[in-house]
Amino acid sequence: MSHTLSQSDTSVQPDYHARIFVPVSADLARRAIFDQLTDWWSHRVDRTEDGATVYFGNSHVRFVFEGKDQLHWRCVEAHMIIEGVPDTEEWQGTQLIWSIEETQDGTNIALTHKGLTDHLACHDVCCRGWQTYFETSLKAHLSGGTPTPETR
């Protein structure tokens, strides 16, 4: 598992980016990301054909899946209740960009949260959230471990 902040232009703040390796096929990894959100991210997810709303605590975010492969998720609604963060809509307009690459031994999954930069007041909390749900919980879910989805 590696956590990096990608930055191609020094005038642009780096987005959250992390990569995990899981010992399953790309097809199983894709199904976990799209169809098993309740197993690794949050027990409260409303899925539609073209998106999902994910609830955690009193917060929620709604994504629309875009592109032919639907690996770009655009946040179209955000209501994030985070102590010390006055703007509950910070995630709105950000994007989750998934990359799923099968290897001989399993699958590499990368997640870039485009727009989750240190300019957002929720940056530290949200990066820790991705470390919990993507880097740890999804990896455990696909590796035979115990995932830790949000249960509130």
Side-chain angles (χ1 to χ4, degrees), residues 28-107:
L28 287 176
R30 183 180 173 84
R31 277 191 272 165
I33 292 167
F34 281 93
D35 300 329
Q36 299 166 1
L37 290 164
T38 56
D39 293 334
W40 63 270
W41 192 355
S42 175
H43 281 186
R44 297 184 306 145
V45 175
D46 291 335
R47 264 302 300 271
T48 62
E49 188 173 307
D50 68 343
T53 302
V54 181
Y55 299 88
F56 29 95
N58 294 323
S59 301
H60 72 273
V61 290
R62 184 165 62 94
F63 297 97
V64 172
F65 304 155
E66 297 181 329
K68 182 174 68 172
D69 58 10
Q70 295 189 325
L71 292 175
H72 289 77
W73 299 10
R74 184 171 42 90
C75 182
V76 295
E77 181 181 329
H79 184 73
M80 307 279 285
I81 306 297
I82 301 171
E83 187 176 335
V85 178
D87 183 356
T88 62
E89 298 179 349
E90 275 194 322
W91 272 32
Q92 194 162 320
T94 66
Q95 298 176 50
L96 303 184
I97 302 168
W98 300 93
S99 170
I100 303 169
E101 298 173 5
E102 193 159 354
T103 69
Q104 187 173 1
D105 301 327
T107 300

Side-chain angles (χ1 to χ4, degrees), residues 104-142:
Q104 187 173 1
D105 301 327
T107 300
N108 287 309
I109 305 171
L111 172 61
T112 299
H113 189 156
K114 189 170 178 63
L116 179 54
T117 67
D118 61 8
H119 284 336
L120 297 186
C122 77
H123 181 262
D124 291 339
V125 170
C126 292
C127 285
R128 285 194 310 272
W130 282 130
Q131 289 167 349
T132 298
Y133 299 116
F134 173 66
E135 297 177 44
T136 303
S137 187
L138 179 60
K139 181 179 177 85
H141 176 62
L142 289 169

